[in-house]
Amino acid sequence: MSDRQIDFDWNQMRAFLATVERGSLSGAARELGLTQPTLSRQIAALEQALGLLLFERMGRRLVLTASGGQLVEQVKIMRAAADRIGLAVSGQSQATEGLVRITASDIVAAHMLPPVLERLRDIAPGIVVEVLASNSIDNLMRREADIAIRHVQPDHPDLIARRCPDSAVLIYAASALLDRLGRPSTAAALGDAPFIGFVQGEALVAELNARGIPVTQQNFRWITNSFVAGIEMVRQGLGIGVMFREVAERIAGLECVLPDMRPIAAPMWLVAHRELHSSRRIRLVFDLLVETLSTERRLGGGTGDPVDD
């Protein structure tokens, strides 16, 4: 590379560094809240501006070239400088006191968030957390919340998403109910059992059928739109239900039905608006959530990032 003055877009450098750190275009695009084609164009524009080949394709994977490797540390220095500038120009960004609003499904809000909030109290006692039990991603877009915990991947370009390891969903019932019905040893034995269902529960029927459990909508005699209400129905013996394993194991009087069954994978996404990059207190809470949800007991220990697709 010559000593000529080079003009480049900082967003292109961010795209390059995210691809290096995430290991794939798809992973980098998710981190930056971009589409994969947009991120690919940014890297191509950076290569053209620098006159360097930064990546080589090896099958479906991207391999950093020697020139790209020499650039990585310099870009990290630039990123650190940019972060310091952002903190310097925004007094609000430096504050670790104030309100952070988290939206999550009622089951996550009731059973998974309290341990995180307890840790947060010790780390940053000046942060006040408002928890909104809701399943709508629109809470973020309307700025009603700063961070969302969701079970589907968001696709809005103004949102930043981090996938945590999947939760394991298994079948549970009250011991008192199993005392009356008997403890089934096979999936087929659940064909006539009463189940607790959820609104728009066709996907659950399909998942159970795929595991050899011959249930239909007729088995779901009680239906709710609340996971917390569903757990309470199961706990009181109204029927059998599906639950996050890490939640069910904390509730006395429940037993896992067919413990050898292949669990249903429930994705877990942490989502924030782009303000995450400029607000220290939101970032602190977000990072603590990532750490806690990633170290909880999860199905298969996590999913990792896919190679470039």
Side-chain angles (χ1 to χ4, degrees):
M1 184 169 54
S2 69
D3 59 357
R4 64 184 172 86
Q5 181 70 34
I6 297 174
D7 294 325
F8 57 83
D9 186 335
W10 170 239
N11 288 327
Q12 296 169 2
M13 286 292 190
R14 290 177 63 241
F16 164 70
L17 190 57
T19 303
V20 172
E21 293 179 339
R22 302 298 290 173
S24 70
L25 289 175
S26 56
R30 287 196 300 272
E31 177 177 316
L32 298 178
L34 302 173
T35 65
Q36 187 170 315
T38 297
L39 187 132
S40 297
R41 287 193 294 270
Q42 289 186 347
I43 292 178
L46 178 61
E47 290 180 324
Q48 183 177 2
L50 298 177
L52 295 174
L53 180 65
L54 302 177
F55 294 102
E56 291 182 333
R57 286 186 176 271
M58 299 294 184
R60 296 179 61 211
R61 300 189 64 82
L62 292 178
V63 177
L64 195 63
T65 64
S67 297
Q70 293 177 10
L71 189 63
V72 170
E73 291 306 317
Q74 300 304 317
V75 178
K76 287 182 178 179
I77 293 173
M78 293 174 63
R79 179 177 62 184
D83 289 344
R84 288 194 297 271
I85 292 171
L87 290 175
V89 299
S90 174
Q92 181 70 15
S93 299
Q94 297 199 36
T96 54
E97 296 80 26
L99 178 66
V100 175
R101 296 160 299 178
I102 302 174
T103 177
S105 63
D106 58 356
I107 186 65
V108 172
H111 292 274
M112 295 185 186
L113 277 184
V116 182
L117 302 181
E118 186 174 12
R119 288 190 60 197
L120 182 64
R121 178 190 60 197
D122 298 332
I123 296 171
I127 292 180
V128 176
V129 175
E130 178 181 320
V131 178
L132 175 64
S134 168
N135 292 314
S136 173
I137 199 69
D138 290 341
N139 298 129
L140 288 179
M141 302 315 304
R142 295 194 301 264
R143 305 315 306 273
E144 295 173 351
D146 302 303
I147 300 171
I149 304 173
R150 292 292 177 254
H151 304 296
V152 295
Q153 180 180 9
D155 57 4
H156 197 284
D158 289 333
L159 299 179
I160 297 169
R162 173 76 64 85
R163 186 169 184 175
C164 296
D166 296 346
S167 285
V169 174
L170 292 168
I171 304 174
Y172 291 88
S175 297
L177 177 65
L178 296 178
D179 288 342
R180 297 196 305 270
L181 298 180
R183 287 167 174 77
S185 58
T186 65
L190 291 173
D192 295 324
F195 275 76
I196 307 299
F198 300 97
V199 176
Q200 298 178 338
E202 295 82 1
L204 176 57
V205 172
E207 287 282 3
L208 295 177
N209 290 167
R211 288 156 178 76
I213 302 174
V215 295
T216 68
Q217 289 290 352
Q218 300 303 316
N219 291 85
F220 293 85
R221 302 175 188 174
W222 294 271
I223 298 173
T224 178
N225 66 346
S226 165
F227 294 112
V228 169
I231 286 179
E232 187 61 20
M233 292 178 185
V234 173
R235 193 188 69 80
Q236 295 195 27
L238 289 178
I240 298 170
V242 295
M243 300 183 198
F244 293 144
R245 178 168 55 195
E246 60 265 41
V247 172
E249 289 179 345
R250 300 171 185 165
I251 301 175
L254 295 184
E255 295 182 28
C256 184
V257 181
L258 302 179
D260 294 330
M261 183 191 81
R262 175 170 55 90
I264 300 170
M268 187 78 71
W269 290 89
L270 272 178
V271 189
H273 198 270
R274 287 189 175 278
E275 187 182 342
L276 173 69
H277 285 316
S278 60
S279 172
R280 187 177 175 187
R281 69 178 184 277
I282 295 176
R283 183 80 207 197
L284 189 153
V285 176
F286 188 90
D287 288 346
L288 183 61
L289 285 167
V290 169
E291 177 187 349
T292 304
L293 294 177
S294 295
T295 55
E296 286 279 347
R297 189 181 340 230
R298 295 280 185 257
L299 175 62
T303 60
D305 290 304
V307 295
D308 171 37
D309 53 16

